[in-house]
Amino acid sequence: MNASLRKFIFNDLQTVEGYIDPPDALVYLSLLQAQDRAGMGGGVAEIGVFYGRSYYLMKKIVGDAGKVLAIDLFDLGEAADGTPTQYHRFLDYGKRLGLTVDQDLVIKGDSTRLRPSDITDRLGRVRFFSIDGGHMLGHVVSDAALATDALAEHGIIAFDDTFNPAWPEVTVGVADFLRERADTFSAFCMTKYKTYVCRRAFHDVYYRAIREAPDLAAFRHVDTQFLGSKTVRLHNPMGRRMVYELMVHAGMRGLSERVYR
């Protein structure tokens, strides 16, 4: 386990407004580190940045030598003059964390209007692609196709809110993606909020990476089948989640990491 990265995840990162929780943050860490150990290169991309919690997580993990591309409308909030405040807040969080945003690797716009070359011209092929943009079926279908066309052979796509009842069309979109590409893609990991997929040739590599990751040892690993693929479901018990939330709300972020050892 990397103590400094875990400290970042459980302490510093929690100061950024956003939604990625510790289990998925540790999955991101485990998968990106597994790729590094295996020499699986490529850029990292995210659709749906919000204020940057998962973006800065990936930025921290890949380090100064890595490239992370941010794609978002950046149209949230409103300043006194009527202009959106989201982008400036996103940059401010980076300054607080000591992580510099390469503004040449930021695309302000609608992801459904992008071409794969808009991504690969900046990053090369993508090894890890986080999709958390529009949650209607058309958005999911478009973003999944874009990610697929920009993905390296060993690339991973992380779909957010896959089984969130508030966004049922995400579930439909991810299921359709896996059914329509059953000969080439498969899921290998699921958490409460996300589903992780890769090309079938790399399924066992990433399945084992999740199974063997030291940072994921605190979770119960449950094998399940998802559209014909053996998938690890990481179970995070309610009791642990409650203890963690109580510690965070009590101002004990620095100690909350112990809950997930």
Side-chain angles (χ1 to χ4, degrees):
M1 295 188 185
N2 187 307
S4 64
L5 280 171
R6 286 178 69 93
K7 174 184 177 296
F8 178 83
I9 288 170
F10 286 94
N11 189 26
D12 304 343
L13 194 64
Q14 302 307 310
T15 66
V16 179
E17 187 176 351
Y19 300 104
I20 191 168
D21 67 347
D24 282 301
L26 294 173
V27 171
Y28 277 39
L29 173 63
S30 299
L31 291 173
L32 287 166
Q33 289 186 330
Q35 288 178 328
D36 287 340
R37 288 193 298 271
M40 297 177 180
V44 175
E46 179 172 51
I47 296 174
V49 175
F50 198 44
Y51 293 110
R53 183 179 285 192
S54 53
Y55 169 90
Y56 288 118
L57 168 65
M58 296 185 289
K59 186 83 173 170
K60 182 71 172 181
I61 295 170
V62 303
D64 293 338
K67 289 184 176 182
V68 183
L69 176 69
I71 304 168
D72 200 294
L73 292 171
F74 289 106
D75 60 352
L76 299 178
E78 187 173 309
D81 63 359
T83 59
T85 58
Q86 181 186 359
Y87 187 63
H88 293 294
R89 288 186 61 191
F90 165 63
L91 295 179
D92 284 344
Y93 278 124
K95 292 175 184 175
R96 294 182 202 176
L97 295 172
L99 296 171
T100 302
V101 175
D102 182 347
Q103 296 191 51
D104 290 334
L105 294 179
V106 175
I107 298 177
K108 298 180 184 179
D110 185 344
S111 61
T112 65
R113 298 184 178 183
L114 296 180
R115 298 166 299 177
S117 60
D118 293 324
I119 296 171
T120 56
D121 286 351
R122 292 170 168 85
L123 288 182
R125 290 286 167 179
V126 179
R127 62 163 164 148
F128 192 97
F129 207 126
S130 172
I131 295 180
D132 189 14
H135 281 35
M136 296 295 99
L137 182 59
H139 299 130
V140 179
V141 170
S142 178
D143 289 345
L146 179 67
T148 299
D149 290 342
L151 209 63
E153 282 299 309
H154 53 267
I156 294 167
I157 303 175
F159 289 99
D160 187 58
D161 280 327
T162 313
F163 300 108
N164 186 339
W167 300 108
E169 292 192 19
V170 176
T171 309
V172 175
V174 174
D176 285 350
F177 173 86
L178 289 171
R179 282 199 300 263
E180 291 166 6
R181 296 170 175 81
D183 57 336
T184 52
F185 278 88
S186 61
F188 63 88
C189 178
M190 292 190 297
T191 63
K192 181 180 179 181
Y193 297 108
K194 296 182 185 288
T195 297
Y196 299 83
V197 311
C198 65
R199 288 189 173 87
R200 284 195 172 274
F202 291 87
H203 173 277
D204 291 350
V205 172
Y206 292 129
Y207 173 87
R208 288 195 303 270
I210 295 295
R211 274 283 183 185
E212 298 168 4
D215 287 299
L216 300 176
F219 304 103
R220 188 157 66 93
H221 295 55
V222 181
D223 276 346
T224 188
Q225 288 286 320
F226 186 37
L227 297 175
S229 299
K230 183 168 68 172
T231 307
V232 182
R233 181 172 61 84
L234 296 182
H235 178 61
N236 187 25
M238 178 64 74
R240 179 186 290 133
R241 297 203 305 269
M242 292 176 63
V243 171
Y244 170 76
E245 291 296 337
L246 286 170
M247 293 181 75
V248 170
H249 288 301
M252 302 170 66
R253 283 199 305 263
L255 298 174
S256 67
E257 181 269 341
R258 299 182 183 183
V259 177
Y260 286 99
R261 287 185 184 178

